[in-house]
Amino acid sequence: MPKPVKILEENQAKILRGGPLVYLNFPRSYRLSAYDFLINSAPLPPYKPNFDAQTLEIIDHYQNGTADLLNRAENEKNARLARRLAEVALIKSYRDMYAGRGPADFKKAVTAVWGQPSRELFWELVDQALAQAGKPSRDAAVLAEVKKLINIKPADQTATWIHISPKLFKPARAEFKELFKPEVDMLNRALADKPPVHRYNYQEVIELLRQAMVFYGLDKDGWQIVISDKTEKVMVNYDTKSISVSRGSLRLSKNRMIGLVLHEVFVHAKAKPHIRAHAGKIGERRVVEEGLGIFIEQMALRRFYPVRSLRYISLGLALGLDGKPRNAREVYEIIWRLRYLGGSAKSRRVAKEYAAKEVVRTFRGMPLAQRGVVITKDRAYVEGNRMIWAYLADHGPKIIFSQLLGKK
């Protein structure tokens, strides 16, 4: 008999750090203060990053032999070691930034680790969001406000990304529905007593994740769930066989919740060996993996939806891809309006709650009043998703499911 999936408090979990060092999330208490600051203009307490002892030990280990390790990474073509050294440099520059030494080195280090968003894709998503906001406009005054807050698109910026039409989407979703029917049916049964849109507390999220982990046999491999105040929503660490869940809540439709569970448990845990083996033919492995996660979320929906597009826009606005770097407040004032005008939020209040979470995620770990400084990790969702759709357009959906995801 397999052991049941362990559900542990963070201080009970003995997890060796195997994944990236530099997520730099705010702890939950500060995230709540940041939401209140953005939504209600409440005072924002000062923030000082606090690294756990294990992270500091790892940093010291790498810093003590940096020159030798750099030579080894270059000579051996050791990409994993080179990335770890880049992460250590990022954390060092992050600490220096909070010590008052300015953000220049940190911004360079962010680019070295996570890259930079595409200006062309940023403008395409802004164009799509404004077009959606204007047909028909829910509020002409709010639409006029948001157009004033975003700089005018340069004439030479043209869309270069694939258009995901119903003709492309429907065959992929038909394949998904056939291949994923057992687990989707299981999750629908688990959600049978929930309303169409529900605010899921963390215990409900954990139970759904646990059922999916058992379905995929991850309980037999020793996977565990960790309740963590450092995790923003849900985070999978394949190296330590753990899924971390925040104590917060998630307001989602049933289909969005099913998509999220499959994204985290199937893509990042069950299918990771297949992704590691085959993602290189499409692009950077990490970016492709996140793109596949978003692809699975989209497959759980009845029609194509550009999942995480507002977060990509948030990154671009913060960095000033339209020529004006912004702080968290300035980005928030644009994002809540786009969310509200796009029709995905039933009220301004709901739109503002959504926007606050997206913006705090964009600025995670950063001084919220500082313009143009963010972690760019989340560019991977949209950019990877576009890679998947472009590959699917050329090769069809079967190869995505069978080869990249190992689902036959």
Side-chain angles (χ1 to χ4, degrees), residues 38-94:
L38 292 172
I39 297 170
N40 302 314
S41 298
L44 183 67
Y47 177 69
K48 182 179 180 181
N50 182 29
F51 297 103
D52 61 75
Q54 191 176 53
T55 299
L56 293 174
E57 183 180 343
I58 293 171
I59 293 170
D60 288 341
H61 169 75
Y62 281 97
Q63 281 190 320
N64 289 338
T66 297
D68 290 340
L69 289 169
L70 282 171
N71 289 333
R72 179 181 151 198
E74 184 175 350
N75 293 336
E76 297 178 7
K77 307 298 182 186
N78 190 328
R80 185 179 178 87
L81 176 57
R83 183 172 182 85
R84 183 64 93 200
L85 290 169
E87 291 176 351
V88 169
L90 175 53
I91 291 184
K92 183 178 183 300
S93 64
Y94 178 69

Side-chain angles (χ1 to χ4, degrees), residues 159-176:
T160 59
W161 298 86
I162 186 170
H163 174 63
I164 294 112
S165 65
K167 186 177 179 181
L168 195 60
F169 181 80
K170 287 181 179 179
R173 188 163 190 267
E175 189 80 9
F176 167 84

Side-chain angles (χ1 to χ4, degrees), residues 5 7 183-194 198-216 218 225 234 243 245 250 252-262 264-266:
V5 175
I7 301 173
E183 52 264 67
V184 170
D185 286 350
M186 176 201 69
L187 290 169
N188 271 318
R189 288 193 296 272
L191 296 171
D193 63 341
K194 300 292 188 291
H198 177 59
R199 189 176 295 277
Y200 294 86
N201 61 44
Y202 74 96
Q203 292 100 331
E204 291 172 317
V205 174
I206 285 172
E207 177 55 22
L208 291 169
L209 292 170
R210 186 196 66 78
Q211 290 190 36
M213 291 164 76
V214 171
F215 178 91
Y216 289 121
L218 298 177
I225 294 173
V234 180
I243 301 180
V245 180
L250 298 173
L252 296 171
S253 68
K254 288 185 180 181
N255 286 345
R256 286 299 305 274
M257 176 53 76
I258 289 171
L260 178 64
V261 170
L262 294 178
E264 303 297 347
V265 179
F266 177 74

Side-chain angles (χ1 to χ4, degrees), residues 68-362:
D68 290 340
L69 289 169
L70 282 171
N71 289 333
R72 179 181 151 198
E74 184 175 350
N75 293 336
E76 297 178 7
K77 307 298 182 186
N78 190 328
R80 185 179 178 87
L81 176 57
R83 183 172 182 85
R84 183 64 93 200
L85 290 169
E87 291 176 351
V88 169
L90 175 53
I91 291 184
K92 183 178 183 300
S93 64
Y94 178 69
R95 295 166 72 185
D96 290 346
M97 180 176 69
Y98 268 99
R101 297 172 190 170
D105 287 345
F106 177 74
K107 292 167 77 172
K108 291 178 184 177
V110 167
T111 299
V113 174
W114 298 120
Q116 287 293 300
S118 158
R119 192 180 302 271
E120 291 78 15
L121 180 53
F122 165 77
W123 279 118
E124 181 186 347
L125 295 175
V126 169
D127 281 351
Q128 289 177 357
L130 290 175
Q132 184 67 27
K135 58 173 197 181
S137 176
R138 297 177 69 179
D139 190 318
V142 173
L143 181 60
E145 289 169 2
V146 78
K147 286 183 176 180
K148 287 181 180 179
L149 293 171
I150 301 176
N151 285 348
I152 300 300
K153 172 181 166 181
D156 62 349
Q157 295 294 329
T158 56
T160 59
W161 298 86
I162 186 170
H163 174 63
I164 294 112
S165 65
K167 186 177 179 181
L168 195 60
F169 181 80
K170 287 181 179 179
R173 188 163 190 267
E175 189 80 9
F176 167 84
K177 287 173 70 176
E178 179 180 347
L179 292 172
F180 284 80
K181 186 177 188 305
E183 52 264 67
V184 170
D185 286 350
M186 176 201 69
L187 290 169
N188 271 318
R189 288 193 296 272
L191 296 171
D193 63 341
K194 300 292 188 291
V197 178
H198 177 59
R199 189 176 295 277
Y200 294 86
N201 61 44
Y202 74 96
Q203 292 100 331
E204 291 172 317
V205 174
I206 285 172
E207 177 55 22
L208 291 169
L209 292 170
R210 186 196 66 78
Q211 290 190 36
M213 291 164 76
V214 171
F215 178 91
Y216 289 121
L218 298 177
D219 52 327
K220 300 175 184 177
D221 294 331
W223 279 76
Q224 60 188 16
I225 294 173
V226 179
I227 302 169
S228 171
D229 285 337
K230 297 175 184 175
T231 301
E232 190 163 350
K233 294 178 182 175
V234 180
M235 185 179 75
V236 177
N237 189 325
Y238 185 83
D239 295 321
T240 61
K241 296 186 178 181
S242 64
I243 301 180
S244 298
V245 180
S246 169
R247 282 187 174 80
S249 62
L250 298 173
R251 185 180 183 275
L252 296 171
S253 68
K254 288 185 180 181
N255 286 345
R256 286 299 305 274
M257 176 53 76
I258 289 171
L260 178 64
V261 170
L262 294 178
H263 176 159
E264 303 297 347
V265 179
F266 177 74
V267 174
H268 289 318
K270 179 66 175 178
K272 186 134 186 163
H274 295 277
I275 297 169
R276 282 179 167 175
H278 300 288
K281 66 182 66 174
I282 298 178
E284 182 186 349
R285 191 184 69 194
R286 181 188 66 84
V287 176
V288 172
E289 183 176 331
E290 292 296 2
L292 285 165
I294 296 302
F295 175 75
I296 290 298
E297 288 191 41
Q298 291 164 334
M299 292 295 95
L301 305 175
R302 291 187 174 88
R303 60 183 63 87
F304 175 79
Y305 182 78
V307 179
R308 307 291 196 280
S309 60
L310 284 181
R311 191 176 302 169
Y312 200 94
I313 292 174
S314 294
L315 283 172
L317 292 171
L319 292 170
L321 294 187
D322 65 339
K324 180 184 177 182
R326 294 171 176 83
N327 60 31
R329 166 67 65 189
E330 292 163 337
V331 175
Y332 164 80
E333 294 296 344
I334 296 171
I335 295 301
W336 81 254
R337 287 173 168 85
L338 290 176
R339 180 71 173 180
Y340 172 65
L341 292 168
S344 296
K346 65 180 181 181
S347 67
R348 291 190 183 198
R349 180 70 186 186
V350 172
K352 289 180 177 182
E353 290 176 356
Y354 174 90
K357 291 182 178 180
E358 288 295 284
V359 171
V360 171
R361 168 79 178 228
T362 299

